[in-house]
Amino acid sequence: IPKTGLPVSTVSNGKFTLIGRSELEQFFNDNIIDIVLHQEQYKRMGISFPGATILYGPPGCGKTYAVERLSEYLGWRRFDIDSSTIASSYIHDTSKKISEVFRSAIKAAPSILVIDEMEAFLTDRGMAGPSGTHHVEEVAEFLRRIPEAISKGVLVFAMTNMLESIDPAILRRGRFDHIIEVKMASATEIEALLKLKFTELPVDESVDARKIATELEGHPMSDITFVLREAGRVAVKRDQELMNNDCFEDALNLLPKKKERAKIGFLNT
């Protein structure tokens, strides 16, 4: 691996992997990790650091999980801006807290800063309503801080499932260079993840990963973890050494059912 001015801890083969999310894995490798590992070559081309990225998609699609894996791979400290810890009813207070997180991330650089549920801070200023002044100040703070953080070695991510409501100024190139849609995992992607997990857990060879993945398609990523844990719990309760098909069937039955499409016609009463 080429020497780099930024500290990087890598897996044994030097490649970042995101099992079950091949497209996102490829994006991270091409647009983030390759720039970090080959800084001198990219600097010659006028690229000093990876640009900021928006990951958008429905809740539970794996946006946060992907950034967590990237943070672990790089070995960089992560900082979070989210409405539960930053938002305040006092004018100027939210902007002050936002600024403090950016300063901490810059001080710890190279680091990762994640703006979670960015729609809580960065909705279109033209739709701000009665609290317009307060909101405009918050958006302006991000507009100032994001380019500064990138220039100081902070990898910036933002997460949302309401991309259409984000202020247009934030979406312009220079603040966020990449806007990536993250969809719910497909059955094929879930199957790949399950097969990896099966190598780490006591699972009977007869367990059909494809069948389980088909059942889990459309569910949030957290449900995959739940099914694995619940199947293990059932196996222990039954005094079994291996998780079998029955264990997974019981675990799947505890999940909320997929919503069926509405049918045209009359309901029988």
Side-chain angles (χ1 to χ4, degrees):
I1 297 173
K3 291 183 178 179
T4 170
L6 299 176
V8 179
S9 64
T10 62
V11 291
S12 58
N13 64 2
K15 180 176 173 59
F16 171 78
T17 57
L18 195 59
I19 302 299
R21 308 319 303 260
S22 57
E23 292 184 7
L24 197 52
E25 174 189 302
Q26 191 65 48
F27 170 78
F28 280 175
N29 276 305
D30 290 346
N31 295 278
I32 296 174
I33 293 169
D34 199 58
I35 296 174
V36 169
L37 295 179
H38 304 91
Q39 291 171 73
E40 294 305 317
Q41 294 95 315
Y42 279 97
K43 281 181 180 178
R44 289 179 55 247
M45 301 298 172
I47 303 169
S48 58
F49 197 73
T53 300
I54 292 174
L55 300 179
Y56 76 96
C61 66
K63 302 184 293 293
T64 301
Y65 172 81
V67 175
E68 286 174 351
R69 298 289 78 76
L70 179 65
S71 177
E72 291 174 2
Y73 176 87
L74 293 173
W76 293 0
R77 189 175 171 189
R78 175 181 158 181
F79 297 82
D80 293 273
I81 293 177
D82 60 80
S83 57
S84 63
T85 58
I86 298 295
S88 172
S89 58
Y90 296 101
I91 296 177
H92 308 308
D93 196 40
T94 299
S95 295
K96 180 181 177 182
K97 290 180 179 179
I98 291 168
S99 180
E100 288 172 355
V101 177
F102 270 97
R103 278 199 297 269
S104 296
I106 290 171
K107 186 176 180 180
S111 60
I112 294 177
L113 187 145
V114 178
I115 307 165
D116 197 17
E117 296 181 345
M118 65 186 295
E119 67 275 6
F121 306 101
L122 298 169
T123 49
D124 192 335
R125 285 170 290 185
M127 304 166 60
S131 60
T133 302
H134 190 182
H135 181 67
V136 167
E137 182 180 299
E138 294 169 15
V139 175
E141 188 66 28
F142 278 104
L143 291 173
R144 288 193 298 269
R145 291 294 183 176
I146 290 171
E148 177 192 6
I150 295 170
S151 70
K152 299 289 179 63
V154 178
L155 188 57
V156 179
F157 284 95
M159 318 283 199
T160 186
N161 61 343
M162 299 173 63
L163 186 65
E164 66 284 353
S165 69
I166 304 302
D167 193 290
I170 288 291
L171 299 179
R172 291 190 194 119
R173 301 287 184 184
R175 270 89 189 198
F176 288 95
D177 288 352
H178 305 285
I179 302 175
I180 306 299
E181 182 179 10
V182 184
K183 299 178 181 179
M184 299 298 279
S186 67
T188 301
E189 292 173 322
I190 295 171
E191 182 183 358
L193 180 58
L194 286 174
K195 286 182 175 179
L196 173 66
K197 293 299 183 181
F198 285 1
T199 65
E200 303 169 354
L201 297 167
V203 178
D204 191 279
E205 292 182 358
S206 66
V207 172
D208 189 344
R210 181 180 293 274
K211 181 181 177 182
I212 298 170
T214 300
E215 291 291 325
L216 284 167
E217 188 173 29
H219 283 269
M221 296 294 283
S222 57
D223 282 356
I224 301 173
T225 302
F226 170 81
V227 166
L228 288 166
R229 288 174 59 87
E230 186 62 21
R233 187 191 68 79
V234 171
V236 171
K237 291 290 287 184
R238 294 175 180 172
D239 199 24
Q240 298 176 190
E241 293 187 2
L242 301 175
M243 291 180 253
N244 59 21
N245 283 303
D246 289 340
C247 296
F248 281 98
E249 188 67 31
D250 287 352
L252 288 166
N253 285 335
L254 293 174
L255 294 176
K257 302 300 180 184
K258 297 178 185 177
K259 292 183 179 179
E260 295 184 0
R261 293 183 180 178
K263 297 179 180 179
I264 298 175
F266 295 97
L267 292 175
N268 293 324
T269 57

